[in-house]
Amino acid sequence: CVFCRIIAGSKTSVFSALFVVIIVFALGTVLGIIAGFAGGVWENVIMKVTLIFQAFPSFILAVAIAGILGNGVILSLCAVYWTTYCRLARSLTVSLRNVPYIKAAKICGASRCSILFRYILPNVMPSLLVTAAMDVGSVILSMAGLSFLGLGAVRPTAEWGAVMSEAKDYLQTAPWIIVFNGIALFVVVTVFNLLGDSLRDVLDTEAEM
């Protein structure tokens, strides 16, 4: 049943993508805030590592890592996507660390942890959340691409890319398998992109108020 496989694949694809986004969101945000707030050696080391990862085309790097690790699609996608959050969190933190209320908090004796969690993190979070919402769709597409190449989910796991890879041999006799899985992929990615746009509008409105 193609419909049942699509429904089962939606659970695998969406939840795996959410898991990847949560990991890269947490890792990239922490490293970016540390780099932006601490500066000096910490900033140089973290940003140099980030540049090394970004020097390679993202999908090629994901393919290479997944191929080396065998079935390491989650780890490969984490290695590709964490740099976006690190650079964004770092740039936002740098723009905030010298604003008057941060200087006032330092003068009043606030600890670094207090400044980070009470002042820096709440101000960088909206932009990072919008990026995360829009990245879910990109991660789903990347995961489907890796699975289609045979580097992701394998039988009997129902994942859209893996199902489309199996169905390519029957493209002339049963094209609807690939077509309907492709439509499901398109719809879900579009929904998450629209969610990111709506979230950005809401957060921008709250910031203006």
Side-chain angles (χ1 to χ4, degrees), residues 115-178:
I115 293 173
L116 288 175
F117 286 102
R118 293 185 61 185
Y119 303 108
I120 300 293
L121 188 60
N123 283 286
V124 304
M125 193 61 71
S127 297
L128 292 169
L129 287 175
V130 172
T131 303
M134 302 189 76
D135 268 354
V136 175
S138 298
V139 173
I140 291 175
L141 283 176
S142 298
M143 191 175 301
L146 291 173
S147 297
F148 188 83
L149 295 175
L151 298 173
V154 294
R155 277 183 172 272
T157 304
E159 195 273 335
W160 288 331
V163 173
M164 293 170 72
S165 179
E166 295 173 4
K168 67 179 183 294
D169 297 330
Y170 309 100
L171 184 59
Q172 293 183 342
T173 57
W176 54 83
I177 302 177
I178 288 183

Short mmCIF file of all heavy atoms in Angstrom, two decimals, residues 115-178:
data_model
loop_
_atom_site.label_atom_id
_atom_site.label_comp_id
_atom_site.label_asym_id
_atom_site.label_seq_id
_atom_site.Cartn_x
_atom_site.Cartn_y
_atom_site.Cartn_z
N ILE A 115 24.61 36.82 32.68
CA ILE A 115 24.48 37.67 31.50
C ILE A 115 24.10 36.86 30.28
O ILE A 115 23.24 37.26 29.48
CB ILE A 115 25.81 38.42 31.26
CG1 ILE A 115 26.07 39.42 32.39
CG2 ILE A 115 25.79 39.15 29.92
CD1 ILE A 115 27.42 40.08 32.33
N LEU A 116 24.71 35.70 30.13
CA LEU A 116 24.43 34.85 28.98
C LEU A 116 22.99 34.38 28.96
O LEU A 116 22.31 34.45 27.92
CB LEU A 116 25.38 33.66 28.96
CG LEU A 116 26.83 33.94 28.59
CD1 LEU A 116 27.67 32.68 28.74
CD2 LEU A 116 26.94 34.46 27.17
N PHE A 117 22.50 33.89 30.11
CA PHE A 117 21.17 33.27 30.13
C PHE A 117 20.04 34.29 30.29
O PHE A 117 18.92 34.04 29.84
CB PHE A 117 21.09 32.24 31.26
CG PHE A 117 21.84 30.97 30.96
CD1 PHE A 117 23.08 30.71 31.52
CD2 PHE A 117 21.31 30.03 30.09
CE1 PHE A 117 23.77 29.55 31.24
CE2 PHE A 117 21.99 28.87 29.79
CZ PHE A 117 23.22 28.63 30.36
N ARG A 118 20.32 35.44 30.91
CA ARG A 118 19.26 36.41 31.15
C ARG A 118 19.18 37.49 30.08
O ARG A 118 18.10 38.07 29.86
CB ARG A 118 19.46 37.08 32.51
CG ARG A 118 19.28 36.14 33.70
CD ARG A 118 19.38 36.89 35.02
NE ARG A 118 18.34 37.90 35.14
CZ ARG A 118 18.26 38.76 36.15
NH1 ARG A 118 19.16 38.72 37.15
NH2 ARG A 118 17.29 39.66 36.20
N TYR A 119 20.28 37.77 29.42
CA TYR A 119 20.30 38.88 28.47
C TYR A 119 20.68 38.48 27.04
O TYR A 119 20.02 38.91 26.09
CB TYR A 119 21.27 39.97 28.96
CG TYR A 119 20.95 40.48 30.34
CD1 TYR A 119 21.75 40.14 31.44
CD2 TYR A 119 19.83 41.29 30.57
CE1 TYR A 119 21.46 40.60 32.71
CE2 TYR A 119 19.53 41.75 31.84
CZ TYR A 119 20.35 41.40 32.91
OH TYR A 119 20.05 41.85 34.17
N ILE A 120 21.72 37.67 26.90
CA ILE A 120 22.18 37.32 25.56
C ILE A 120 21.25 36.30 24.91
O ILE A 120 20.74 36.51 23.80
CB ILE A 120 23.62 36.77 25.61
CG1 ILE A 120 24.58 37.81 26.18
CG2 ILE A 120 24.06 36.33 24.21
CD1 ILE A 120 24.78 39.02 25.32
N LEU A 121 21.03 35.17 25.59
CA LEU A 121 20.26 34.08 24.99
C LEU A 121 18.84 34.49 24.58
O LEU A 121 18.41 34.16 23.46
CB LEU A 121 20.22 32.89 25.95
CG LEU A 121 19.60 31.60 25.41
CD1 LEU A 121 20.38 31.11 24.19
CD2 LEU A 121 19.59 30.51 26.48
N PRO A 122 18.07 35.19 25.42
CA PRO A 122 16.72 35.58 24.98
C PRO A 122 16.70 36.47 23.75
O PRO A 122 15.73 36.46 22.99
CB PRO A 122 16.16 36.32 26.21
CG PRO A 122 16.94 35.80 27.37
CD PRO A 122 18.31 35.56 26.84
N ASN A 123 17.77 37.23 23.53
CA ASN A 123 17.79 38.15 22.40
C ASN A 123 18.26 37.49 21.10
O ASN A 123 17.93 37.98 20.02
CB ASN A 123 18.70 39.35 22.72
CG ASN A 123 18.03 40.35 23.65
OD1 ASN A 123 17.15 41.11 23.27
ND2 ASN A 123 18.45 40.34 24.91
N VAL A 124 19.03 36.44 21.22
CA VAL A 124 19.47 35.74 20.00
C VAL A 124 18.52 34.62 19.61
O VAL A 124 18.55 34.14 18.47
CB VAL A 124 20.90 35.18 20.17
CG1 VAL A 124 21.87 36.27 20.55
CG2 VAL A 124 20.95 34.04 21.19
N MET A 125 17.67 34.20 20.53
CA MET A 125 16.81 33.05 20.30
C MET A 125 15.81 33.23 19.14
O MET A 125 15.61 32.29 18.36
CB MET A 125 16.06 32.69 21.58
CG MET A 125 15.37 31.34 21.53
SD MET A 125 16.53 29.99 21.29
CE MET A 125 17.35 29.97 22.88
N PRO A 126 15.16 34.39 18.98
CA PRO A 126 14.17 34.50 17.89
C PRO A 126 14.75 34.20 16.51
O PRO A 126 14.16 33.44 15.73
CB PRO A 126 13.70 35.96 18.00
CG PRO A 126 13.89 36.30 19.44
CD PRO A 126 15.13 35.58 19.85
N SER A 127 15.89 34.78 16.19
CA SER A 127 16.50 34.54 14.87
C SER A 127 16.89 33.08 14.70
O SER A 127 16.75 32.50 13.61
CB SER A 127 17.72 35.44 14.68
OG SER A 127 17.36 36.80 14.70
N LEU A 128 17.38 32.48 15.77
CA LEU A 128 17.78 31.07 15.71
C LEU A 128 16.57 30.16 15.55
O LEU A 128 16.64 29.15 14.83
CB LEU A 128 18.56 30.70 16.97
CG LEU A 128 19.93 31.37 17.13
CD1 LEU A 128 20.48 31.13 18.53
CD2 LEU A 128 20.91 30.83 16.09
N LEU A 129 15.46 30.48 16.19
CA LEU A 129 14.25 29.67 16.06
C LEU A 129 13.69 29.72 14.64
O LEU A 129 13.23 28.70 14.11
CB LEU A 129 13.19 30.15 17.06
CG LEU A 129 13.44 29.81 18.54
CD1 LEU A 129 12.39 30.46 19.42
CD2 LEU A 129 13.45 28.30 18.75
N VAL A 130 13.72 30.90 14.02
CA VAL A 130 13.26 31.02 12.64
C VAL A 130 14.14 30.18 11.72
O VAL A 130 13.65 29.45 10.84
CB VAL A 130 13.28 32.50 12.20
CG1 VAL A 130 13.00 32.62 10.71
CG2 VAL A 130 12.25 33.30 12.99
N THR A 131 15.45 30.25 11.92
CA THR A 131 16.38 29.45 11.12
C THR A 131 16.12 27.96 11.31
O THR A 131 16.14 27.18 10.34
CB THR A 131 17.83 29.78 11.50
OG1 THR A 131 18.05 31.18 11.34
CG2 THR A 131 18.82 29.01 10.64
N ALA A 132 15.87 27.56 12.56
CA ALA A 132 15.62 26.14 12.84
C ALA A 132 14.34 25.66 12.15
O ALA A 132 14.31 24.56 11.58
CB ALA A 132 15.51 25.92 14.35
N ALA A 133 13.29 26.47 12.20
CA ALA A 133 12.02 26.07 11.57
C ALA A 133 12.18 25.88 10.07
O ALA A 133 11.63 24.94 9.48
CB ALA A 133 10.94 27.12 11.87
N MET A 134 12.96 26.75 9.45
CA MET A 134 13.15 26.66 8.00
C MET A 134 14.16 25.57 7.63
O MET A 134 14.12 25.04 6.52
CB MET A 134 13.59 28.01 7.44
CG MET A 134 12.61 29.12 7.73
SD MET A 134 12.97 30.67 6.88
CE MET A 134 12.44 30.29 5.22
N ASP A 135 15.04 25.22 8.56
CA ASP A 135 16.04 24.18 8.29
C ASP A 135 15.44 22.78 8.33
O ASP A 135 16.06 21.85 7.79
CB ASP A 135 17.19 24.27 9.30
CG ASP A 135 18.32 25.15 8.78
OD1 ASP A 135 18.25 25.58 7.62
OD2 ASP A 135 19.27 25.42 9.54
N VAL A 136 14.30 22.61 8.99
CA VAL A 136 13.69 21.27 9.04
C VAL A 136 13.42 20.75 7.64
O VAL A 136 13.71 19.59 7.31
CB VAL A 136 12.40 21.30 9.88
CG1 VAL A 136 11.70 19.93 9.83
CG2 VAL A 136 12.69 21.66 11.33
N GLY A 137 12.88 21.62 6.78
CA GLY A 137 12.62 21.21 5.41
C GLY A 137 13.90 20.86 4.67
O GLY A 137 13.95 19.87 3.92
N SER A 138 14.96 21.65 4.88
CA SER A 138 16.23 21.36 4.21
C SER A 138 16.82 20.05 4.69
O SER A 138 17.37 19.27 3.89
CB SER A 138 17.22 22.50 4.50
OG SER A 138 16.76 23.73 3.98
N VAL A 139 16.70 19.77 5.98
CA VAL A 139 17.22 18.51 6.52
C VAL A 139 16.44 17.32 5.96
O VAL A 139 17.02 16.28 5.63
CB VAL A 139 17.17 18.52 8.06
CG1 VAL A 139 17.54 17.15 8.63
CG2 VAL A 139 18.11 19.57 8.62
N ILE A 140 15.12 17.46 5.83
CA ILE A 140 14.31 16.38 5.26
C ILE A 140 14.75 16.09 3.82
O ILE A 140 14.90 14.93 3.42
CB ILE A 140 12.81 16.75 5.31
CG1 ILE A 140 12.32 16.76 6.75
CG2 ILE A 140 11.98 15.76 4.49
CD1 ILE A 140 10.88 17.24 6.90
N LEU A 141 15.00 17.15 3.05
CA LEU A 141 15.45 16.97 1.67
C LEU A 141 16.83 16.31 1.62
O LEU A 141 17.08 15.40 0.81
CB LEU A 141 15.50 18.31 0.95
CG LEU A 141 14.16 18.91 0.49
CD1 LEU A 141 14.37 20.29 -0.11
CD2 LEU A 141 13.48 17.99 -0.51
N SER A 142 17.74 16.77 2.49
CA SER A 142 19.08 16.18 2.52
C SER A 142 19.03 14.71 2.92
O SER A 142 19.73 13.87 2.35
CB SER A 142 19.97 16.97 3.49
OG SER A 142 20.12 18.30 3.07
N MET A 143 18.18 14.41 3.90
CA MET A 143 18.05 13.03 4.36
C MET A 143 17.47 12.14 3.26
O MET A 143 17.93 11.01 3.05
CB MET A 143 17.15 12.99 5.60
CG MET A 143 17.12 11.67 6.34
SD MET A 143 16.15 11.79 7.85
CE MET A 143 17.02 13.08 8.72
N ALA A 144 16.49 12.67 2.54
CA ALA A 144 15.91 11.92 1.43
C ALA A 144 16.94 11.69 0.33
O ALA A 144 17.01 10.61 -0.28
CB ALA A 144 14.69 12.65 0.87
N GLY A 145 17.78 12.71 0.07
CA GLY A 145 18.82 12.56 -0.93
C GLY A 145 19.84 11.50 -0.56
O GLY A 145 20.25 10.69 -1.40
N LEU A 146 20.26 11.49 0.71
CA LEU A 146 21.22 10.47 1.16
C LEU A 146 20.60 9.07 1.09
O LEU A 146 21.27 8.11 0.69
CB LEU A 146 21.67 10.78 2.59
CG LEU A 146 22.56 12.03 2.76
CD1 LEU A 146 22.80 12.31 4.24
CD2 LEU A 146 23.89 11.85 2.04
N SER A 147 19.34 8.97 1.49
CA SER A 147 18.68 7.67 1.44
C SER A 147 18.50 7.20 0.00
O SER A 147 18.62 6.01 -0.30
CB SER A 147 17.31 7.75 2.13
OG SER A 147 17.46 8.05 3.50
N PHE A 148 18.22 8.14 -0.90
CA PHE A 148 18.06 7.78 -2.31
C PHE A 148 19.37 7.24 -2.89
O PHE A 148 19.37 6.36 -3.75
CB PHE A 148 17.60 8.99 -3.11
CG PHE A 148 17.24 8.69 -4.53
CD1 PHE A 148 15.98 8.19 -4.84
CD2 PHE A 148 18.14 8.90 -5.56
CE1 PHE A 148 15.63 7.89 -6.15
CE2 PHE A 148 17.81 8.61 -6.87
CZ PHE A 148 16.55 8.10 -7.18
N LEU A 149 20.50 7.76 -2.37
CA LEU A 149 21.81 7.29 -2.82
C LEU A 149 22.24 6.00 -2.12
O LEU A 149 23.32 5.48 -2.40
CB LEU A 149 22.86 8.37 -2.59
CG LEU A 149 22.69 9.66 -3.41
CD1 LEU A 149 23.73 10.69 -2.98
CD2 LEU A 149 22.81 9.37 -4.90
N GLY A 150 21.42 5.52 -1.19
CA GLY A 150 21.75 4.30 -0.47
C GLY A 150 22.60 4.50 0.76
O GLY A 150 23.18 3.55 1.28
N LEU A 151 22.68 5.77 1.26
CA LEU A 151 23.51 6.07 2.41
C LEU A 151 22.69 6.35 3.67
O LEU A 151 23.26 6.70 4.70
CB LEU A 151 24.40 7.29 2.11
CG LEU A 151 25.38 7.12 0.95
CD1 LEU A 151 26.07 8.44 0.64
CD2 LEU A 151 26.41 6.06 1.29
N GLY A 152 21.38 6.23 3.56
CA GLY A 152 20.53 6.52 4.70
C GLY A 152 19.75 5.31 5.17
O GLY A 152 20.33 4.24 5.38
N ALA A 153 18.46 5.49 5.32
CA ALA A 153 17.60 4.40 5.80
C ALA A 153 17.58 3.25 4.81
O ALA A 153 17.67 3.44 3.60
CB ALA A 153 16.18 4.93 6.02
N VAL A 154 17.49 2.06 5.33
CA VAL A 154 17.42 0.85 4.50
C VAL A 154 16.19 0.05 4.91
O VAL A 154 15.57 0.31 5.94
CB VAL A 154 18.69 -0.01 4.67
CG1 VAL A 154 19.91 0.72 4.13
CG2 VAL A 154 18.92 -0.38 6.14
N ARG A 155 15.85 -0.94 4.09
CA ARG A 155 14.71 -1.80 4.42
C ARG A 155 14.87 -2.41 5.81
O ARG A 155 15.98 -2.75 6.20
CB ARG A 155 14.61 -2.93 3.39
CG ARG A 155 13.89 -2.54 2.11
CD ARG A 155 13.80 -3.75 1.20
NE ARG A 155 12.96 -3.52 0.05
CZ ARG A 155 11.66 -3.71 0.02
NH1 ARG A 155 11.05 -4.15 1.10
NH2 ARG A 155 10.96 -3.48 -1.07
N PRO A 156 13.77 -2.56 6.54
CA PRO A 156 12.38 -2.27 6.19
C PRO A 156 11.91 -0.88 6.59
O PRO A 156 10.72 -0.63 6.64
CB PRO A 156 11.63 -3.35 6.98
CG PRO A 156 12.43 -3.49 8.23
CD PRO A 156 13.87 -3.27 7.83
N THR A 157 12.85 0.04 6.92
CA THR A 157 12.47 1.38 7.33
C THR A 157 11.78 2.10 6.18
O THR A 157 12.29 2.15 5.06
CB THR A 157 13.70 2.18 7.77
OG1 THR A 157 14.37 1.47 8.81
CG2 THR A 157 13.30 3.55 8.28
N ALA A 158 10.63 2.70 6.48
CA ALA A 158 9.87 3.45 5.47
C ALA A 158 10.27 4.91 5.55
O ALA A 158 9.76 5.67 6.37
CB ALA A 158 8.37 3.28 5.69
N GLU A 159 11.22 5.30 4.73
CA GLU A 159 11.67 6.70 4.63
C GLU A 159 11.52 7.12 3.19
O GLU A 159 11.81 6.34 2.27
CB GLU A 159 13.11 6.81 5.11
CG GLU A 159 13.57 8.24 5.41
CD GLU A 159 14.12 8.93 4.17
OE1 GLU A 159 14.56 8.22 3.26
OE2 GLU A 159 14.07 10.16 4.12
N TRP A 160 11.05 8.35 2.94
CA TRP A 160 10.67 8.74 1.60
C TRP A 160 11.81 8.57 0.59
O TRP A 160 11.59 8.08 -0.52
CB TRP A 160 10.19 10.19 1.61
CG TRP A 160 8.85 10.33 2.26
CD1 TRP A 160 7.86 9.39 2.31
CD2 TRP A 160 8.36 11.46 2.96
NE1 TRP A 160 6.78 9.88 3.00
CE2 TRP A 160 7.05 11.15 3.41
CE3 TRP A 160 8.88 12.72 3.27
CZ2 TRP A 160 6.28 12.05 4.13
CZ3 TRP A 160 8.12 13.62 3.99
CH2 TRP A 160 6.83 13.29 4.41
N GLY A 161 13.00 8.98 0.93
CA GLY A 161 14.12 8.83 0.01
C GLY A 161 14.43 7.37 -0.28
O GLY A 161 14.71 7.00 -1.43
N ALA A 162 14.39 6.54 0.76
CA ALA A 162 14.66 5.11 0.58
C ALA A 162 13.58 4.45 -0.27
O ALA A 162 13.87 3.60 -1.13
CB ALA A 162 14.77 4.43 1.94
N VAL A 163 12.32 4.82 -0.04
CA VAL A 163 11.22 4.26 -0.83
C VAL A 163 11.35 4.66 -2.29
O VAL A 163 11.14 3.84 -3.20
CB VAL A 163 9.87 4.71 -0.25
CG1 VAL A 163 8.72 4.28 -1.17
CG2 VAL A 163 9.66 4.14 1.14
N MET A 164 11.72 5.91 -2.54
CA MET A 164 11.90 6.38 -3.92
C MET A 164 13.09 5.68 -4.58
O MET A 164 13.06 5.40 -5.77
CB MET A 164 12.08 7.89 -3.93
CG MET A 164 10.84 8.66 -3.49
SD MET A 164 11.13 10.43 -3.24
CE MET A 164 11.32 10.97 -4.94
N SER A 165 14.11 5.38 -3.79
CA SER A 165 15.26 4.65 -4.34
C SER A 165 14.86 3.23 -4.75
O SER A 165 15.27 2.73 -5.80
CB SER A 165 16.38 4.60 -3.30
OG SER A 165 17.50 3.89 -3.79
N GLU A 166 14.03 2.58 -3.92
CA GLU A 166 13.56 1.24 -4.27
C GLU A 166 12.64 1.28 -5.49
O GLU A 166 12.64 0.35 -6.31
CB GLU A 166 12.79 0.65 -3.08
CG GLU A 166 13.64 0.41 -1.83
CD GLU A 166 12.79 0.00 -0.64
OE1 GLU A 166 11.57 -0.17 -0.83
OE2 GLU A 166 13.34 -0.15 0.46
N ALA A 167 11.88 2.38 -5.61
CA ALA A 167 10.87 2.44 -6.68
C ALA A 167 11.45 2.86 -8.02
O ALA A 167 10.74 2.78 -9.03
CB ALA A 167 9.77 3.42 -6.28
N LYS A 168 12.70 3.30 -8.06
CA LYS A 168 13.24 3.77 -9.34
C LYS A 168 13.34 2.64 -10.37
O LYS A 168 13.33 2.90 -11.58
CB LYS A 168 14.60 4.42 -9.12
CG LYS A 168 15.73 3.50 -8.69
CD LYS A 168 17.02 4.29 -8.53
CE LYS A 168 18.20 3.37 -8.17
NZ LYS A 168 18.03 2.77 -6.84
N ASP A 169 13.45 1.41 -9.90
CA ASP A 169 13.49 0.27 -10.83
C ASP A 169 12.14 0.00 -11.47
O ASP A 169 12.05 -0.74 -12.46
CB ASP A 169 13.98 -0.99 -10.11
CG ASP A 169 15.41 -0.84 -9.60
OD1 ASP A 169 16.19 -0.11 -10.24
OD2 ASP A 169 15.74 -1.46 -8.57
N TYR A 170 11.07 0.55 -10.87
CA TYR A 170 9.72 0.32 -11.38
C TYR A 170 9.12 1.61 -11.93
O TYR A 170 7.90 1.77 -11.96
CB TYR A 170 8.82 -0.22 -10.27
CG TYR A 170 9.41 -1.41 -9.54
CD1 TYR A 170 10.04 -1.24 -8.31
CD2 TYR A 170 9.37 -2.68 -10.10
CE1 TYR A 170 10.59 -2.32 -7.64
CE2 TYR A 170 9.93 -3.76 -9.45
CZ TYR A 170 10.54 -3.58 -8.22
OH TYR A 170 11.10 -4.65 -7.57
N LEU A 171 10.00 2.54 -12.34
CA LEU A 171 9.51 3.85 -12.78
C LEU A 171 8.60 3.76 -14.00
O LEU A 171 7.61 4.49 -14.10
CB LEU A 171 10.71 4.76 -13.10
CG LEU A 171 10.39 6.21 -13.48
CD1 LEU A 171 9.63 6.90 -12.35
CD2 LEU A 171 11.67 6.98 -13.80
N GLN A 172 8.89 2.85 -14.91
CA GLN A 172 8.08 2.73 -16.12
C GLN A 172 6.78 1.97 -15.89
O GLN A 172 5.78 2.22 -16.57
CB GLN A 172 8.90 2.06 -17.23
CG GLN A 172 10.08 2.89 -17.71
CD GLN A 172 10.82 2.23 -18.85
OE1 GLN A 172 10.69 1.02 -19.07
NE2 GLN A 172 11.62 3.00 -19.57
N THR A 173 6.79 1.05 -14.95
CA THR A 173 5.59 0.23 -14.72
C THR A 173 4.73 0.76 -13.58
O THR A 173 3.51 0.56 -13.58
CB THR A 173 6.00 -1.22 -14.41
OG1 THR A 173 6.88 -1.23 -13.28
CG2 THR A 173 6.70 -1.84 -15.61
N ALA A 174 5.35 1.40 -12.59
CA ALA A 174 4.59 1.92 -11.44
C ALA A 174 5.14 3.29 -11.03
O ALA A 174 5.72 3.45 -9.96
CB ALA A 174 4.65 0.95 -10.27
N PRO A 175 5.00 4.31 -11.88
CA PRO A 175 5.58 5.62 -11.59
C PRO A 175 4.93 6.33 -10.41
O PRO A 175 5.53 7.24 -9.83
CB PRO A 175 5.34 6.40 -12.90
CG PRO A 175 4.15 5.74 -13.51
CD PRO A 175 4.27 4.29 -13.16
N TRP A 176 3.71 5.92 -10.05
CA TRP A 176 3.00 6.61 -8.96
C TRP A 176 3.71 6.47 -7.61
O TRP A 176 3.51 7.29 -6.73
CB TRP A 176 1.57 6.09 -8.87
CG TRP A 176 1.47 4.60 -8.73
CD1 TRP A 176 1.57 3.87 -7.59
CD2 TRP A 176 1.27 3.66 -9.79
NE1 TRP A 176 1.44 2.53 -7.86
CE2 TRP A 176 1.25 2.37 -9.20
CE3 TRP A 176 1.09 3.77 -11.17
CZ2 TRP A 176 1.07 1.20 -9.95
CZ3 TRP A 176 0.90 2.62 -11.90
CH2 TRP A 176 0.90 1.36 -11.30
N ILE A 177 4.53 5.45 -7.45
CA ILE A 177 5.24 5.29 -6.17
C ILE A 177 6.17 6.47 -5.94
O ILE A 177 6.15 7.10 -4.87
CB ILE A 177 6.03 3.96 -6.14
CG1 ILE A 177 5.10 2.78 -6.38
CG2 ILE A 177 6.76 3.82 -4.82
CD1 ILE A 177 5.82 1.44 -6.43
N ILE A 178 6.98 6.79 -6.94
CA ILE A 178 7.89 7.94 -6.82
C ILE A 178 7.12 9.25 -6.82
O ILE A 178 7.43 10.17 -6.06
CB ILE A 178 8.93 7.91 -7.96
CG1 ILE A 178 9.94 6.79 -7.73
CG2 ILE A 178 9.65 9.25 -8.07
CD1 ILE A 178 11.04 6.73 -8.75
#
